[in-house]
Amino acid sequence: SDVCGRQSCLSRLTVPRKPADSACESAGNFRRGEKAGCIAPKEKAEAIFVKTIGIIGGMGPLATADLFQKIIMLTDAGCDNDHIHIVIDNNTEIPDRTDCILHGGRSPVKYLVQSAVKLQCMGADALVMPCNTAHYFYDEITKFIDIPLISMIEETAKGVARLSGPDSKTGL
């Protein structure tokens, strides 16, 4: 059984699926729209509820470490126990995102989904991903999980709109 205590959770990662329409589309062994369902053990459900952040990392291990450090440094914690529970999957085997998008290289989707499902099964309440380019595959990842994947792109756009006002124009 997997970390969730359910055999089916991670075993879904090897379900055969129809061939992908393109090299970048959902390469791997997933059915479209199938989500990983993880049921926490009864003891966890009865415990005090604590939010856990899962980080889909490894696409630039230093970017992962930087995000982790920023979360720690920006948390108002008086002691170690006051910090946010964070689970990191630093998977450096994820294929190059830019190569897939621009040149039809190996798709990273299977690996990104595996990381997301693994983190969900480990108890993450929400996921973050410190790789900008990986957000290109955001919709493919979220089809397989039941927890939010916070979009760095959307949150940045909201922050810019909040700071600059609704009628302003912003350039990059």
Side-chain angles (χ1 to χ4, degrees):
S1 83
D2 61 58
V3 293
C4 294
R6 285 184 48 181
Q7 182 64 37
S8 63
C9 187
L10 293 179
S11 65
R12 289 185 180 192
L13 299 178
T14 57
V15 175
R17 66 180 287 282
K18 69 176 186 162
D21 296 331
S22 73
C24 289
E25 179 194 336
S26 293
N29 300 317
F30 303 98
R31 287 191 181 121
R32 283 193 173 286
E34 184 177 40
K35 295 188 179 229
C38 297
I39 299 173
K42 187 176 180 181
E43 298 82 38
K44 183 173 181 177
E46 293 173 359
I48 296 172
F49 186 72
V50 177
K51 293 283 185 184
T52 300
I53 297 172
I55 299 177
I56 302 172
M59 299 161 284
L62 287 176
T64 303
D66 182 55
L67 175 61
F68 181 51
Q69 183 176 16
K70 285 177 180 169
I71 294 170
I72 292 168
M73 298 305 290
L74 294 172
T75 300
D76 184 21
C79 67
D80 291 345
N81 299 93
D82 292 340
H83 281 277
I84 299 166
H85 183 205
I86 300 172
V87 182
I88 300 171
D89 186 11
N90 192 59
N91 184 356
T92 59
E93 299 297 316
I94 297 173
D96 187 271
R97 285 71 49 210
T98 303
D99 184 49
C100 178
I101 296 165
L102 297 180
H103 307 293
R106 286 180 50 219
S107 173
V109 172
K110 172 183 175 180
Y111 303 89
L112 294 168
V113 170
Q114 285 175 336
S115 287
V117 169
K118 187 182 301 182
L119 291 164
Q120 176 177 317
C121 287
M122 291 175 72
D125 297 297
L127 302 175
V128 293
M129 188 166 52
C131 176
N132 279 307
T133 310
H135 281 74
Y136 180 87
F137 306 100
Y138 178 91
D139 291 335
E140 291 298 315
I141 299 165
T142 58
K143 290 177 186 178
F144 296 93
I145 55 175
D146 296 314
I147 57 175
L149 170 57
I150 298 169
S151 169
M152 180 167 43
I153 311 304
E154 290 296 321
E155 293 305 314
T156 300
K158 288 178 192 174
V160 168
R162 200 171 33 253
L163 292 173
S164 59
D167 298 325
S168 65
K169 293 182 181 181
T170 305
L172 298 176

